[in-house]
Amino acid sequence: ALRFERARLRLRGLNFHERAPDPTTTHRLDVLNNSGVALGRLDSVRASALIARHLRLALEAGDAAHVASGLTDEIWNRTLGIGDVAEVPDLIARVEALLLRTDAPVARLGLHFMRGYYYLNGPKPDHDAALLDVDRYLALLSEQHYPYASYRRSMGERSRVVIRVMLGRFSEVARELPGLFDAALGRGDFAVLPLLADANGVMALVAVGALDEAQRAQARASAAWSSCRNAYAWQDLSLLQGAIHLALARGEPRAAWDRVQQDLLRFADSPMRSSPLVARAVNAGAAQAALAMAIKCAGSERAELLRFVRGQLRGHIDPRMAASLSVELCAIEGRHEHAVAPHAVRMSRRAQQAGG
């Protein structure tokens, strides 16, 4: 369904002739848009298919408000690797131009969140810009009522956690996490709990020495999410990343590797494997755990782990982790000249870029 909808949208193009909204068509578009939002927290692949269908039908209907909303959701698709991420700046410009002449508060709200998501996860991250957008997004949520306001606020708060961890504001995040957990539990929002217990939340708690609190957060989130009995979703990836980081922080690589093997089996049978961004993240976490385990063992087990890592590096993996994992692999295998040289080249390039 996703490939079919993406192909139809690509063939149609993004230009449209604006017309007065038709109530019946607008209702259909509302249903599609709300379904995509609701499904996005659980199954990004099926949600992406609905997003593409919603945008195509909005373009055909000439409904400017829905086109603006659809284009903001398309920014999310492209950032996930579904479509060309290089076209995101053009999508942002299209939405901004539409909002100058269209009363579309949901689209305006969505632009801040999706643009922030792009600044966080796109090819050239800008964490300060991402935080500005997410803060504005949360401020807008406080100023008026929006559909799915509780869910939208949860996702905004979670994004704010991730961005501030990237900015090194660990103590600030660590102070807030218990309150965010309690609030999510209080409103029964089991879907957001795992997102707060991912590698970013765990990293903030570990950074301030609160390993027991990190373990408690992981346990609470895992228990809540497992009770929902869903197929492998974003939440499972978040819990996996948090579990790996916590296990390695405790010096327990075997626990991290055991967890990876369980998740790889579930992930292989999940629709989420079709998402390039998710696949890269799962593979990077698996390689990280395997490398840590390889350091602690020897013989055939060590050789098998290193073969696994080499295989992961040849496949789809987060490019921001691939370089460091490659250096670690070379160092473990005793190929120090291969480990140091590429790293030196990268650092030289960065220095040249910084110097203009």
Side-chain angles (χ1 to χ4, degrees), residues 270-333:
S270 164
M272 294 291 281
R273 70 184 184 278
S274 301
S275 169
L277 183 67
V278 177
R280 289 196 296 265
V282 170
N283 292 340
Q288 181 185 17
L291 273 177
M293 187 63 202
I295 294 172
K296 297 291 186 179
C297 61
S300 60
E301 184 180 15
R302 177 189 176 96
E304 184 62 33
L305 286 164
L306 295 179
R307 275 195 295 273
F308 173 83
V309 173
R310 286 193 292 272
Q312 297 296 94
L313 290 173
R314 285 193 295 270
H316 296 291
I317 195 167
D318 187 336
R320 286 172 290 189
M321 288 189 66
S324 61
L325 289 169
S326 296
V327 170
E328 290 178 42
L329 175 63
C330 291
I332 292 171
E333 293 181 326

Side-chain angles (χ1 to χ4, degrees), residues 173-185:
V173 172
R175 284 194 303 270
E176 294 178 13
L177 272 174
L180 293 174
F181 260 90
D182 290 341
L185 275 174

